[in-house]
Amino acid sequence: MPKYDAKSSIAEEFINDAEIQESLAYAEQNKNNREVVRAILEKARQMKGITHREAVVLLDCELEEENREIEKLAKEIKERFYGKRIVMFAPLYLSNYCINGCVYCPYHIKNRHIARKKLTQEEIRQEVIALQDMGHKRLAIEAGEDPVNNPLEYILESIHTIYSIKHKNGAIRRVNVNIAATSVENYKKLKDAGIGTYILFQETYDKKAYEELHPSGPKSDYAYHTEAMDRAMEAGIDDVGCGVLFGLDKYRYELAGIIMHAEHLEAKFGVGPHTISVPRVCPADDIDPAELNAISDEIFQKIVAVIRIAVPYTGMIVSTRESQKVREKVLDLGISQISGGSRTSVGGYVEEEPEEENSAQFDVTDRRSLDEVVNWLLGMGYIPSFCTACYREGRTGDRFMSLLKSGQIVNCCQPNALMTLKEYLEDYASPDTKEKGEKVIREQLEVITNPVVKEKAKEYIGNIHEGQRDFRF
């Protein structure tokens, strides 16, 4: 039987089933043990994280007063490290050709009635122009796993195309990549292409469930998939993004697993994941979440709060799978990145595809435009940020995390967020959004603690108003 070892390179050792089962049993025994729960909360108040075992105790906790404290602490940690900044992005699906047999995904190879599509480079160009005209600066490109239709060369060419397009004042400044697990050699090629974050969802950490849910195709290899982040970091990719599809399998197991994955990356490489995504299973073509292990909004919200407490430095992402109401709640509890105006079809930004040509991976619940989402965030006092400065200045991996942990990030991210918001207001915003945004900029400039940075930021914002673009600290 494999033994738990956070520093191991072997999937079944750093995501160890026996350790998870012991942690779940410990949490069940102590979920109402006020002394244990309070000790974990006391440790968490140091804002340096808690272990996977401690996190499951907080998730299971049924004590009302302590549950209120969990929520309060998650909000405080979010505010401490990320302030009011919410990073904006959009997904761009390049192709839904796929040779895997994942039972929960409509791209699975046996699905004969979904429309199969693959964007040409010219179509990518038109989609990117449409995204730039919305105001987006950051994309996450996605594609099914198919070495014939979607070889790595296609992905690399697409990245080059995206970065090359400068339409009016628009530009995509960071391309994150969410594609199947691959080799160290291929990850090096992705790094050389200038990607931002490499994103890969584990889907489920339970090996038995994983193999049942992925019965065929290259993704069926649990170890190869689970060890992908190690290969990406060995290839020199500083920023990796983990994720688990909540509702596929047992959510308590998944919470322990994803925190163990973060602990493993920290132990082995000295830096944890740049982001953790928390997608939930939702309806899609021939997929019904009720047939899996769907979770309630309340449980989902607590998962977000506990992850924020356990890995305080990591960015957290929620997509348009979630409703406006749910997104509003989890923004407060720990989410730092959201998508806006998203399409989950192949393309779909130039022209929304007709229903009979449906190529979407999942149904979008929050269907608002980017401007409506930005307006909504501003109305709640958040700073919608289109910033990509850290990536472009080489502040990635441990360099980014050290700035975040020291609290000095406020003198980089705060002014950069405000300057990119100003660009959005000048070039793309509706009159009401612009009015709200100008007010937020005035208020949030005062949060910058370094007087030199504050004055320079005010100067740059004035320059943006006069027509200049792309300032950054």
Side-chain angles (χ1 to χ4, degrees), residues 95-116 144-150 213-220 285-287 361:
S95 170
N96 66 356
Y97 284 94
C98 191
I99 61 171
N100 287 310
C102 314
V103 303
Y104 53 87
C105 176
Y107 289 3
H108 65 82
I109 192 168
K110 292 181 181 179
N111 189 349
R112 301 300 182 195
H113 52 80
I114 193 170
R116 299 290 177 176
E145 184 170 13
D146 185 329
V148 174
N149 288 296
N150 312 328
L213 291 161
H214 307 88
S216 63
K219 193 172 177 177
S220 63
D285 195 64
D286 61 347
I287 307 302
Q361 189 183 35

Side-chain angles (χ1 to χ4, degrees), residues 198-296:
Y198 172 67
I199 303 163
L200 183 67
F201 295 168
Q202 179 63 27
E203 319 299 8
T204 176
Y205 284 97
D206 184 324
K207 185 173 186 286
K208 183 174 182 293
Y210 183 96
E211 290 172 345
E212 291 171 354
L213 291 161
H214 307 88
S216 63
K219 193 172 177 177
S220 63
D221 187 334
Y222 175 85
Y224 190 76
H225 188 85
T226 309
E227 294 160 7
M229 294 308 187
D230 289 47
R231 294 192 299 279
M233 296 186 84
E234 286 163 7
I237 295 176
D238 289 331
D239 293 343
V240 297
C242 298
V244 67
L245 188 49
F246 284 102
L248 266 190
D249 200 47
K250 301 169 286 293
Y251 69 88
R252 297 170 71 242
Y253 196 106
E254 307 305 358
L255 180 92
I258 200 160
I259 294 171
M260 288 174 85
H261 205 163
E263 290 169 338
H264 161 67
L265 296 176
E266 184 84 43
K268 185 175 178 185
F269 298 99
V271 59
H274 187 69
T275 57
I276 290 177
S277 296
V278 286
R280 264 197 297 185
V281 172
C282 67
D285 195 64
D286 61 347
I287 307 302
D288 181 1
E291 296 176 0
L292 297 164
N293 293 279
I295 60 174
S296 68

Side-chain angles (χ1 to χ4, degrees), residues 5 41 64 77-78 123 176 204 208 230 232 255 272 318 320 357 372 458:
D5 181 359
L41 286 169
E64 286 189 20
I77 291 171
K78 160 76 186 304
E123 287 171 331
N176 297 335
T204 176
K208 183 174 182 293
D230 289 47
L255 180 92
V318 72
T320 48
E357 294 181 18
E372 288 171 324
K458 289 179 179 178

